[in-house]
Amino acid sequence: MALDVETIRKDFPILDRVVHGDKPLVYLDNAATSQKPRKVIEALVEYYERHNANVHRGIHTLAEEATALYESARDRVAAFISAPSRDEVIFTKNSSEAMNLVARVLADAEPPHRIGPGDEIVITEMEHHSNIVPWHQLAERTGAAVRWFQVTDDGRLDLSTVDEVITERTRIVSMVHVSNLLGTINPVETVIRRAREVGALVLLDCSQSAPHLPLDVRALGADFIAFTGHKMLGPTGIGVLWGRLDLLRVLPPFLGGGEMIELVTMERSTFAQPPHKYEAGTPPIAEAVGLGAAVDYLSGIGMEAIAAHETELTRYVLSELNQVDGLRIIGPNTAEDRVAEVSFTLDGIHPHDVGQVLDELGIAVRVGHHCARPAVVRYGIPATTRASFYLYNTPAEIDVLVRGLARVKKVFGG
Amino acid sequence: MNLDSMYQEIILDHYKNPHHRGLREPFDAEVHHVNPTCGDEITVRVYLDGAADEAKVVDVSYDGQGCSISQASTSVLTDLVIGRTVREAFGTMDAFVTLMQGRGQVEPDEDVLEDGVAFAGVAKYPARVKCALLGWMAFKDAVARVVGGV
Ligand SMILES: Cc1ncc(COP(=O)(O)O)c(C=O)c1O
């Protein structure tokens, strides 16, 4: 079923904006953050205007309403990813915090989950810095080593080495489900199968898949997944760590504070059960409510339909960009196992300059290394220009982009 | 179009035909600077003759990857500092930094900045000021390594 994009666009007030005088905004920076539908904005306003209170700690009306709203956001998110239990959904600040949480608690865990000297952590060359740096820090603290899968020239993971990279020493494999630089959808089944053989845990960075693809954590088969609200129509300041309940029960807590305890005496503390065990202090309540509204909106339209629309956009943008002289796609050049995020370079023109001229035409793209510097270096380039699409983008906007690139070439050509 | 105020012909000329580009021998100090937000990188070498402020800048050579603004401003820098004393070069640098940090409100002095006046428009784009200063900051750092803090 095709999306009614014109109707969808009316739900996003910001899409009516003009920039630089009279240029209609063409927002193609969705991989950095998405725009917000009126439903989400209204949920935030409504929360603050009518229900604001702290959660889990009052018996007055507003406290109960706020708690119910916050916990109902957890139910919606759990349903959105088909989590077996709502208690597996932990609210964090963003994906980065979710992944740091896992890296932190594994250093403090009891065997067999504890990561220590001689253990190995496996990542990939296409990770966002958020899924590299916490592991470097963990390795530094514990004496463990970080290993990684390489990427191929056409932007796929090189899994030919899967048996050598993931070994008996591997304690966790932490990898991106969909690359924010390349747009690649990774074949996580192959990696998970191997991880299971050696008894390693698996964390998937779903920051770029949760917004664009139907996700079912039971089918994915990982132990943890992380994603971030602001890329999927929700507010900033809210992210999600989903983890298998049996693991969340035995792993130690992350931050200590209010809400995450069972009992505190002056000598010691005991901890609450998941998810509260991992949510110290007053959580981002309004933000969680906003994320609940965002997943309602996405589910209302249907993730299958959104993914199908975006695949059409991927096909069209790839075919159009491939006709631009001097343009090199960084990432898979077909729409197969790929999302609508396209990184490219233009011969002899630096991405900064590409982005600047496009901005002048009202087109918002991202330029730089996209927090994935190792992968950018792997392709022998300093940076890329990235156009990333979402449910409200249209083929006509791709035409505007292509015309914009012609203008870029005119400014810098010859 | 607004952009014309940023991408002046002078800037595009320096970008397409950079002056003094390439790393050369001899040199007294070499530094490598990066702009972490965009990944631009530059290596700058300086070769001085003499001591402290009065040392003469005999050569500045560079190589790097970056946008038109960072590349062109480094090219302009070499024109402005080679053959001058460190004192003079730093004076010019101060004028350029003031221009770039002036949010488009500073009137540049063409006698001091020569082709550097073309960057006046860039000062209106906060995200690009760092690009324009990348080579200059590397130059300052390299000189300081040779003569000590000036
Ligand atoms: C693949 C990937 N992982 C992690 C992140 C980090 O998300 P956040 O900055 O919301 O923590 C991003 C977004 O920039 C991303 O694209």
Side-chain angles (χ1 to χ4, degrees), chain B residues 8-11 13-14 19 72-73 75-77 79-80 96 99 108-120 136:
Chain B
Q8 300 269 330
E9 271 314 309
I10 298 179
I11 294 182
D13 282 349
H14 275 277
H19 302 176
S73 91
S75 170
V76 169
L77 158 99
D79 285 348
L80 287 172
F96 189 73
L99 173 66
D109 180 347
E110 188 157 7
D111 291 339
V112 177
L113 289 178
E114 301 176 18
D115 281 0
V117 298
F119 290 82
W136 291 80

Side-chain angles (χ1 to χ4, degrees), chain A residues 159-193:
Chain A
L159 293 179
S160 64
T161 56
V162 66
D163 292 344
E164 291 101 80
V165 175
I166 301 178
T167 68
E168 301 293 331
R169 290 185 298 280
T170 308
R171 299 258 60 85
I172 186 163
V173 181
S174 187
M175 67 183 273
V176 75
H177 187 198
V178 169
S179 160
N180 67 307
L181 174 76
L182 307 169
T184 317
I185 304 175
N186 284 319
V188 294
E189 332 63 68
T190 313
V191 175
I192 293 177
R193 200 176 317 121

